């Protein structure tokens, strides 16, 4: 009896061990199946498909399916081969040599060559709004032969690989986009009839309504892509989008596509959907309350610190966002490798806030008010903008600040106020775009005070910080660079030119039968050639 | 007679209650409607009598304090409407000729524009605040009053007592304002009363569309702010909705009662 039991247990143990080893392998070994459509709703619908001349996720999301790039970035922030099959970096980190794959062709059949890479580099540098900051250090691009590209740098560029990845540097065919033969690039008809070398080609586009991307049969990665078509539809009504996701008519939602968080919460309970916060590590959106530091009332750092102490970030993230967002501690998003929480933190403390305002010389008047300030906010993303502004009104009244709400009539009227530096305070956000030097520096550099939103519209200037950022922008040693960014975060949190309220509550929402949806820090702004349906088609 | 109309009496009682709420409500229930006093989205009766909205603001406080805005907008916008309407109607009806022609074409111009749309444009143009909302509602609602006044003037200015006044030497001005206008008031009073209800609905519509004064609590604002959360917090939109409904109903009933009271034909019965 006892031996029998022993034998059984040994057998069971063995079986368990075998299961443990085989289990994960069996799942991974699921062979990808060809076929099927992927339909997604777009909250912000692209006006054209050339993200070499247009920043923003709306253009880059379909754009990265149409145009290939030199490298992809995986989920560990590492470059992986794409159009470049291999590369070498010189010891001084000033020369990058890329070897291109030889079988890549554009959708019109012409081969992708080094000429096209050099051409695309020039176009992006000149026309993309991050062009000067992200490609400034690149002195020139040489093309010793058809399949070799050499980037010559004037100073080290720690974020070069990120810049060369799909959302930021698409490779355009020179014979279609060059300005000598085809006129100014912004007016090139190929912007709405794009020709790229990515896994999908555009076959139909109805502006403001829908677009259809179809599998490119001669895509250079053999057997790819798996999907037949990718279809994007403009979301005209947020609740229709919600219903389409619920019913399974839409298979994916990007950047929450206008859904309120309570709708996301409802979708999370649906069995056919995956809802995850992954896929936005590169974009790393941070929301903040911006002060116009040209106004006297915000010049004293104690006033800004007081307001920071008066905002309960946990209430925002837990009660108003149901836990979908995270409190932001400083200028750098916590998904970034350079992030630190070793900074000046502002706990929720009304007593301290009142004390700081008294010290700053703003005593409460007879009506209990110290001073008034207006607040504007970005129209759109109501959970992160409108709701927070509505929250700040009663909240700041507790410390004697009378907040007057100025709801934005539309994007343009908000843009005019902020770009015109006419605001007191505004709720706003930025995308960090994979590296602080691309997406973060712009808010704080002294010389970036422009009449354009998402630049240094607060009017902040700190030469010491500028020096740190300048050093970080050329530091290629990972540890030293991180130390510089830690210093940056400490300087900024002590000075609080903005109050970073929370990190984006963005979720990737997609059908659970889709595979390999998130393979990059760029989430949906990455070629979907590896994405496939479990059964080779969308569920009925 | 007014009292003979039971519905009108009911309206009057309701109206008095709303007036009392407007005047004394904030004194009895001083909670700041903007303040977050409870947990967000708590249902009626749990923490607070009427529950809280998505930010944790007290709905009851909103109803009590919002009444002032709503009533203020209703009456000021109507006064504005009536003043413009009467001036234009009086001039057009009395002088006739090219004056009438010009003023009536202008009136028609305003009449063919969709009211809510024009009000939205005006509010968006001058940035939403209480005065601009009152102004916008006034600007879009005066044409009916002007036409009514003109019609009354056309009717009355031919009567014998007016001719008699003229015969004993009364000037235009005096005939216009002291003789004809008082005699054409009854239908205008009814129109103005109903106008208050229309103005309240207008304000609610503008606020619902996000064009209300964001720094003043009104019932329309409450509905607009919570409309995205209607499934989670039905109470946050229902109670202010009921409040608007009752107010407008009471005004309509009073207007009807006044109409009956002023109608000489009914008086004979």
């Amino acid at each position: 009896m006892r031996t029998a039991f022993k034998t059984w247990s040994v057998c069971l143990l063995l079986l368990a061990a075998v299961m443990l080893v085989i289990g994960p392998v069996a799942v991974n070994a699921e062979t990808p199946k060809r076929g099927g459509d992927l339909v997604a709703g777009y909250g912000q619908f692209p006006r054209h498909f050339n993200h070499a001349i247009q920043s923003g996720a709306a253009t880059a999301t379909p754009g990265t399916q149409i145009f290939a790039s030199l490298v992809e970035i995986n989920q560990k922030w590492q470059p992986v081969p794409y159009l470049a099959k291999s590369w070498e970096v010189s010891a001084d980190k000033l020369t990058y040599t890329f070897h291109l794959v030889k079988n890549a062709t554009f959708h019109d059949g012409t081969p992708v060559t080094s000429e096209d890479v050099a051409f695309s580099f020039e176009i992006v540098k000149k026309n993309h709004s991050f062009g000067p900051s992200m490609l400034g250090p690149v002195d020139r691009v040489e093309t010793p032969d058809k399949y070799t590209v050499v980037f010559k740098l004037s100073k080290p560029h720690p974020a070069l690989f990120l810049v060369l990845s799909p959302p930021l540097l698409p490779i355009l065919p020179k014979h279609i986009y060059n300005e000598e033969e085809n006129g100014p690039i912004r007016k090139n008809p190929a912007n709405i009839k794009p020709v790229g070398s990515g896994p999908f080609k555009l076959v139909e586009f109805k502006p403001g309504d829908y677009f259809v991307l179809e599998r490119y049969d001669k895509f250079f990665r053999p057997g790819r892509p798996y999907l037949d078509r990718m279809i994007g539809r403009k979301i005209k009504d947020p609740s229709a989008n919600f219903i389409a996701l619920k019913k399974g008519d839409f298979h994916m939602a990007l950047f929450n596509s206008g859904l309120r968080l309570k709708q996301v919460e409802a979708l999370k309970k649906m069995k056919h959907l995956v809802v995850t916060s992954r896929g936005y590590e590169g974009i790393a959106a941070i929301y903040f309350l911006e002060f116009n530091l040209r106004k006297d009332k915000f010049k004293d750092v104690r006033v800004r610190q007081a307001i920071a102490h008066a905002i309960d970030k946990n209430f925002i993230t837990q009660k108003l966002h149901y836990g979908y967002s995270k409190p932001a501690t400083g200028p750098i998003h916590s998904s970034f490798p350079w992030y630190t929480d070793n900074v000046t933190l502002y706990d929720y403390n009304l007593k301290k806030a009142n004390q700081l305002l008294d010290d700053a010389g703003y005593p409460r008047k007879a009506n209990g008010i110290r001073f008034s300030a207006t607040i504007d906010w970005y129209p759109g993303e109501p959970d992160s903008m409108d709701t927070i502004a509505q929250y700040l009104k009663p909240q700041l009244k507790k410390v004697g600040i009378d907040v007057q709400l100025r709801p934005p009539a539309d994007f343009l009227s908000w843009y005019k106020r902020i770009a015109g530096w006419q605001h007191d305070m505004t709720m706003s956000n930025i995308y960090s775009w994979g590296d602080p030097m691309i997406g973060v520096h712009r808010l704080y550099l002294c010389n970036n005070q422009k009449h354009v939103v998402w630049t240094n519209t607060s009017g902040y200037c700190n030469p010491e910080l500028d020096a740190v950022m300048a050093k970080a922008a050329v530091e290629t040693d990972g540890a030293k660079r991180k130390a510089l960014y830690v210093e940056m975060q400490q300087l900024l949190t002590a000075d609080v030119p903005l109050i970073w309220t929370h990190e984006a509550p963005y979720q990737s929402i997609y059908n659970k039968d889709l595979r390999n949806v998130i393979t990059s820090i760029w989430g949906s702004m990455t070629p979907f050639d590896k994405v496939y349906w479990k059964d080779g088609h969308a569920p009925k | 007679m007014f009292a003979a109309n039971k519905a009108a009496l009911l309206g009057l009682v309701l109206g008095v209650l709303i007036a009392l709420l407007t005047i004394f409500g904030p004194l009895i229930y001083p909670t700041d409607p903007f303040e977050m006093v409870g947990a967000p989205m708590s249902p009626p009766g749990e923490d607070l009598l009427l529950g809280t909205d998505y930010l944790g603001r007290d709905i009851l406080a909103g109803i009590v304090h919002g009444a002032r805005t709503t009533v203020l907008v209703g009456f000021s916008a109507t006064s504005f409407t009536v003043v413009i309407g009467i001036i234009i109607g009086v001039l057009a009806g009395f002088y006739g000729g090219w004056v009438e022609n010009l003023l009536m074409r202008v009136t028609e111009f305003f009449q063919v524009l969709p009211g809510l749309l024009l009000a939205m444009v005006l509010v968006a143009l001058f940035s939403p605040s209480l005065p601009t909302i009152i102004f916008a509602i006034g600007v879009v609602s005066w044409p009916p009053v002007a036409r009514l006044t003109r019609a009354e003037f056309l009717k009355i200015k031919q009567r014998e007592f007016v001719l008699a006044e003229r015969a004993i030497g009364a000037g235009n001005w005096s005939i216009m304002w002291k003789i004809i206008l008082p005699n054409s008031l009854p239908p205008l009073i009814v129109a103005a009363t109903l106008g208050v209800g229309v103005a309240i609905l207008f304000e609610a519509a503008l606020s619902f569309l996000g064009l209300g004064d964001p720094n003043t609590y009104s019932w329309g604002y409450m509905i607009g702010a919570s409309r995205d959360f209607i499934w989670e917090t039905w109470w946050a939109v229902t109670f202010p909705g009921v409040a608007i409904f009752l107010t407008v109903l009471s005004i309509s009933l009073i207007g009807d009662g006044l109409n009956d009271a002023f109608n000489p034909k009914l008086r004979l019965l």
Side-chain angles (χ1 to χ4, degrees), chain B residues 164-177:
Chain B
E165 285 290 333
R166 195 175 282 288
I168 58 170
N172 278 351
W173 202 251
S174 147
I175 292 176
M176 250 191 273
W177 302 107

Side-chain angles (χ1 to χ4, degrees), chain A residues 260 262-263 315 319-320 322 377 382-383 386-387 390-391 393-395 397-398 403-407 409 417, chain B residues 32 34-36 38-41 54-57 124 127-128 210-212 214-215 221 228-232:
Chain A
R260 297 299 298 249
K262 48 140 194 143
Q263 293 175 315
F315 182 84
K319 297 285 185 207
L320 301 179
Y322 321 108
W377 60 91
D383 286 304
D386 179 279
T387 301
Q390 303 282 355
Y391 159 78
K393 184 181 170 74
Q395 193 58 28
K397 200 175 174 197
K398 291 181 187 166
V403 176
Q404 293 291 314
L405 304 167
R406 291 205 299 186
R417 273 182 195 162
Chain B
D32 180 356
F34 276 109
E35 200 175 331
M36 296 165 292
M41 297 192 179
Y54 70 105
L55 280 175
R57 298 180 290 203
S127 85
L211 287 167
N215 297 296
Y221 168 82
D228 282 348
F229 301 91
I230 189 164
W231 297 112
E232 290 77 15

Side-chain angles (χ1 to χ4, degrees), chain A residues 175-190:
Chain A
H175 64 281
I176 287 178
Y177 291 91
N178 75 69
E179 299 192 301
E180 292 81 46
E181 288 168 40
N182 306 293
I185 183 121
R186 292 203 178 273
K187 293 192 175 144
N188 194 316

Side-chain angles (χ1 to χ4, degrees), chain A residues 59-113:
Chain A
T59 321
T61 308
T64 47
Q65 307 309 328
I66 298 167
F67 296 97
S69 291
L70 287 182
V71 296
E72 282 190 62
I73 303 290
N74 67 13
Q75 280 186 279
K76 293 180 189 136
W77 298 78
Q78 295 154 335
V80 291
Y82 192 19
L83 273 174
K85 62 178 188 227
S86 62
W87 53 81
E88 295 106 38
V89 182
S90 69
D92 61 1
K93 306 254 162 91
L94 291 176
T95 306
Y96 288 64
T97 309
F98 293 91
H99 305 285
L100 303 185
V101 295
K102 296 208 165 95
N103 60 339
T105 54
F106 288 109
H107 300 156
D108 63 357
T110 49
V112 182
T113 66

Side-chain angles (χ1 to χ4, degrees), chain A residues 297 300 302-303 306 353-372 397-402:
Chain A
K297 52 194 162 202
D300 190 325
R302 287 171 296 187
V303 171
N354 276 311
Q355 186 62 49
L356 280 161
L357 285 165
D358 286 341
D359 294 348
Y362 290 98
R364 281 182 193 264
K365 292 178 208 130
N367 57 1
I369 298 299
R370 299 172 194 275
F371 62 83
S372 287
K397 200 175 174 197
K398 291 181 187 166
V399 294
I401 299 170
D402 170 46

Side-chain angles (χ1 to χ4, degrees), chain A residues 90-399:
Chain A
S90 69
D92 61 1
K93 306 254 162 91
L94 291 176
T95 306
Y96 288 64
T97 309
F98 293 91
H99 305 285
L100 303 185
V101 295
K102 296 208 165 95
N103 60 339
T105 54
F106 288 109
H107 300 156
D108 63 357
T110 49
V112 182
T113 66
S114 54
E115 282 289 310
D116 299 305
V117 177
F119 166 73
S120 306
F121 158 77
E122 290 296 339
I123 287 291
V124 171
K125 190 170 181 178
K126 256 186 250 151
N127 295 285
H128 195 281
S129 53
F130 304 152
S133 67
M134 67 185 185
L135 288 172
V138 182
D139 194 32
R140 61 187 189 279
V141 175
E142 291 171 356
T143 52
D145 68 54
K146 250 179 122 177
Y147 297 105
T148 310
V149 187
V150 184
F151 281 71
K152 293 276 194 190
L153 278 58
S154 54
K155 52 186 182 185
H157 189 340
L160 186 64
F161 282 112
L162 262 153
V163 173
L164 300 180
S165 70
L168 295 172
L169 209 158
I171 303 305
L172 314 177
K174 186 178 180 183
H175 64 281
I176 287 178
Y177 291 91
N178 75 69
E179 299 192 301
E180 292 81 46
E181 288 168 40
N182 306 293
I185 183 121
R186 292 203 178 273
K187 293 192 175 144
N188 194 316
N191 292 336
I192 55 166
K193 284 188 176 168
V195 178
S197 54
F200 294 90
K201 60 184 185 202
L202 184 80
V203 290
E204 223 182 316
F205 174 45
K206 192 154 176 249
D209 197 359
Y210 68 90
F211 63 80
V212 179
L213 305 179
E214 206 173 76
R215 178 179 202 278
Y216 176 48
D217 289 324
K218 293 185 198 116
F219 183 56
F220 61 92
R221 281 173 169 165
R224 306 273 189 91
Y226 300 120
L227 294 171
D228 283 339
R229 298 195 300 172
M230 288 182 72
I231 296 160
R233 287 188 182 284
K234 160 117 179 112
I235 294 165
K236 288 168 184 158
D237 169 19
S239 46
N241 177 35
F242 175 68
I243 292 163
L245 283 162
K246 216 165 130 179
K247 278 173 61 190
D249 294 342
F250 285 176
H251 309 127
M252 189 166 73
L254 317 162
F255 293 88
N256 293 7
S257 63
L259 294 168
R260 297 299 298 249
L261 288 173
K262 48 140 194 143
Q263 293 175 315
V264 173
E265 182 79 349
L267 291 175
K268 197 171 189 171
K269 296 194 183 104
M270 317 276 337
K271 286 201 177 64
H272 69 286
L273 290 172
V274 178
V275 176
T276 163
S277 60
R278 285 170 50 224
Y280 301 101
E281 295 84 354
I283 275 299
I286 289 197
Y287 295 73
F288 50 82
L289 175 69
E290 174 180 313
F291 302 110
N292 186 349
L293 301 175
R294 298 169 195 88
K295 306 263 168 123
D296 282 333
K297 52 194 162 202
F298 300 120
K299 282 197 170 131
D300 190 325
V301 66
R302 287 171 296 187
V303 171
R304 306 194 301 261
Q305 287 169 334
I307 295 175
H309 278 299
I311 298 175
D312 185 354
K313 291 180 189 174
N314 284 319
F315 182 84
I316 292 175
T317 55
Q318 295 305 313
K319 297 285 185 207
L320 301 179
H321 294 161
Y322 321 108
Y324 281 108
S325 64
K326 265 171 74 176
T329 56
I332 301 232
H333 193 280
S334 66
S335 76
F336 271 20
W338 309 277
Y339 170 80
T340 177
D341 58 4
N342 182 18
V343 293
T344 316
L345 296 169
Y346 295 88
D347 58 320
Y348 177 51
N349 189 335
L350 294 177
K351 232 177 113 187
K352 218 169 181 176
N354 276 311
Q355 186 62 49
L356 280 161
L357 285 165
D358 286 341
D359 294 348
Y362 290 98
R364 281 182 193 264
K365 292 178 208 130
N367 57 1
I369 298 299
R370 299 172 194 275
F371 62 83
S372 287
T374 59
I375 184 167
D376 297 288
W377 60 91
Y378 170 82
E381 303 197 45
D383 286 304
S384 286
M385 302 288 183
D386 179 279
T387 301
I388 308 300
Q390 303 282 355
Y391 159 78
L392 288 174
K393 184 181 170 74
Q395 193 58 28
L396 294 188
K397 200 175 174 197
K398 291 181 187 166
V399 294

